[in-house]
Amino acid sequence: MTQGAAECPVVLVGLSGAGKSTVGPVLAARLGRPLCDTDALVAHAAGMPVPTIFATHGEATFREREAQALAEALAGELAVVATGGGIVLRPANRQLLREHAFVVWLDAPDGLLLARLRTDAEQRPLLGDEAATRLAAMRAARAPWYAEVAHVTVETSGLTPETIADQIVAAYTDALVRGRRS
C-alpha cells in the first residue's frame, strides 16, 4: 500500500480453502464495497469455468488471464478482491499487489484447508490426487510470496467469516490512520 493514506483495494490472498471466497462477501459488505473475484473474472472472460480453462488451455493461459483480471480489479473502483491461490506466482502480480492494494494473507493449517476443500463442491485444478502432498508443496512454494505482499496475516482457524472481516477492517483502518500520521 504505497499510496500513502489514500484508500485502496483490499485484496485477499492465500491457499485454496483459506477462506478468501467466504470472507470476501462479508468484508465487502463491512466496507461498503463491491466484491471482485479474479477467478470469476477469468471464467467470465473465457466463457468457461476455471477447471475447463486449465484442462483445455493449460495453466500458463490461465495465469495470463489471471494477471489481466488482477490488473482490471485493481484499476477499477475500490473493491474487495478475492484472488486465486496462485496469484502471487508472477512477479508482476506481486508488484501490483504491493503498490496498489492493502493485502491480507488468510492462512490456516493444511489439515483444516484440506477439510474445507473436501466439503467444497468447487473443483481445484492444481490439487487433484494426493491433495495433502500437493497442498504442502504449494505452501512451501507460495508462503514466501504471500508474506512478501501481505500487510497483515489472519490465521482463520476457529474464526467466523464475520470475525475475520472485523479483524481485516481494523487492520486496514489502522493502516490508513498510520499513513495519515507519516
Side-chain angles (χ1 to χ4, degrees):
M1 191 166 91
T2 60
Q3 299 176 349
E7 291 195 54
C8 60
V10 177
V11 178
L12 305 176
V13 300
L15 292 168
S16 293
K20 302 176 301 285
S21 296
T22 302
V23 173
V26 178
L27 181 60
R30 292 274 201 283
L31 292 172
R33 294 182 178 187
L35 174 65
C36 181
D37 184 300
T38 57
D39 281 355
L41 286 174
V42 169
H44 178 75
M48 63 184 77
V50 169
T52 305
I53 297 168
F54 268 84
T56 306
H57 302 288
E59 184 176 358
T61 296
F62 172 78
R63 295 294 173 208
E64 183 60 37
R65 290 176 184 239
E66 180 182 55
Q68 293 168 354
L70 177 63
E72 177 184 320
L74 295 179
E77 66 179 304
L78 286 179
V80 170
V81 181
T83 65
I87 198 78
V88 295
L89 295 174
R90 287 182 168 217
N93 289 350
R94 295 194 304 273
Q95 182 175 351
L96 276 175
L97 290 168
R98 281 191 309 271
E99 293 177 358
H100 299 289
F102 181 81
V103 182
V104 180
W105 176 11
L106 298 182
D107 197 16
D110 288 359
L112 180 56
L113 296 178
L114 288 168
R116 289 175 180 169
L117 292 170
R118 285 188 189 106
T119 62
D120 186 358
E122 183 182 341
Q123 184 182 355
R124 310 294 175 146
L126 291 181
L127 285 176
D129 296 334
E130 300 183 25
T133 302
R134 297 200 71 179
L135 185 64
M138 285 181 186
R139 176 182 297 282
R142 297 176 182 179
W145 291 325
Y146 292 140
E148 175 186 321
V149 299
H151 293 89
V152 64
T153 300
V154 178
E155 167 44 76
T156 63
S157 301
L159 300 179
T160 65
E162 293 76 16
T163 299
I164 296 165
D166 289 343
Q167 287 184 11
I168 295 167
V169 168
Y172 178 64
T173 302
D174 183 58
L176 290 174
V177 169
R178 279 184 291 135
R180 288 190 187 109
R181 288 188 201 142
S182 27

